[in-house]
Amino acid sequence: PGVSPQEDANLNAFIASGAQTITIFGKTWDLHVTDALKVPLEENLAMIRESVAYLLDNGKEVFYDAEHFFDGYKANPEYALQTLQEAQGAGASVVILCDTNGGTLPGEITQIMEAVRKAITVPLGIHCHNDSELAVASTLAAVQAGATQVQGTTNGLGERCGNANLMS
């Protein structure tokens, strides 16, 4: 917050890394925007849009991880979808829906992905945490609902309690 993309050390490190595809994440749950980032909702949308555009302007393909998407969607679907639309509008190649708290049931994943598909047209990905031992089931539900990009880990090791186990 409060820093232009051109001045952002992380974005510039991504550009300097030599990687062709960069995955960035942004806040999609309005609670996290106002309470963690402590910025207005509109500023968060601008940060998403400007960050994606800056990376694209520097020759990078951008995958956008929508952090806490499912919780954010359940709390405020209109805003959560706006964040995805900003990433898409700025040129993200793939939008990845994140079950960052790992508690979204597979059936909910399917229903919410259907709503997302009506709001955006770029390919969708999935990123599930395993807090409730649902990561593999939720990832499979997402793939059946049209996710074409899957984020996971080998043998489930990963952030916090782990992510979807790609070996399963």
Side-chain angles (χ1 to χ4, degrees):
V3 176
S4 73
Q6 296 79 7
E7 297 169 337
D8 186 275
N10 290 320
L11 292 177
N12 286 313
F14 292 147
I15 292 166
S17 74
Q20 293 178 338
T21 302
I22 305 296
T23 301
I24 62 171
F25 72 90
K27 303 290 187 191
T28 58
W29 191 357
D30 58 358
L31 172 74
H32 287 184
V33 174
T34 58
D35 290 11
L37 285 179
K38 297 188 184 307
V39 300
L41 298 179
E42 285 299 321
E43 184 174 345
N44 182 58
L45 295 176
M47 288 178 2
I48 294 167
R49 178 178 57 252
E50 293 168 4
S51 295
V52 171
Y54 179 64
L55 291 170
L56 283 170
D57 288 346
N58 282 275
K60 303 302 179 182
E61 177 181 33
V62 180
F63 285 16
Y64 177 74
D65 274 18
E67 184 185 42
H68 287 280
F69 177 76
F70 292 96
D71 293 310
Y73 182 88
K74 290 180 224 178
N76 185 343
E78 289 177 7
Y79 185 74
L81 290 172
Q82 274 186 294
T83 66
L84 305 182
Q85 290 165 335
E86 289 294 335
Q88 174 183 268
S93 297
V94 179
V95 169
I96 297 99
L97 307 179
C98 301
D99 184 23
T100 313
N101 280 339
T104 305
L105 297 173
E108 291 177 293
I109 298 274
T110 301
Q111 290 172 342
I112 293 170
M113 285 195 62
E114 289 170 2
V116 169
R117 184 51 46 224
K118 292 175 185 172
I120 66 169
T121 58
V122 294
L124 293 177
I126 189 71
H127 173 112
C128 294
H129 286 251
N130 204 32
D131 301 63
S132 301
E133 292 295 323
L134 295 170
V136 170
S138 292
T139 298
L140 291 172
V143 169
Q144 287 179 323
T148 58
Q149 198 268 353
V150 171
Q151 293 179 352
T153 59
T154 302
N155 295 324
L157 301 174
E159 306 169 77
R160 231 178 44 256
C161 61
N163 298 96
N165 182 359
L166 296 177
M167 299 303 101
S168 298

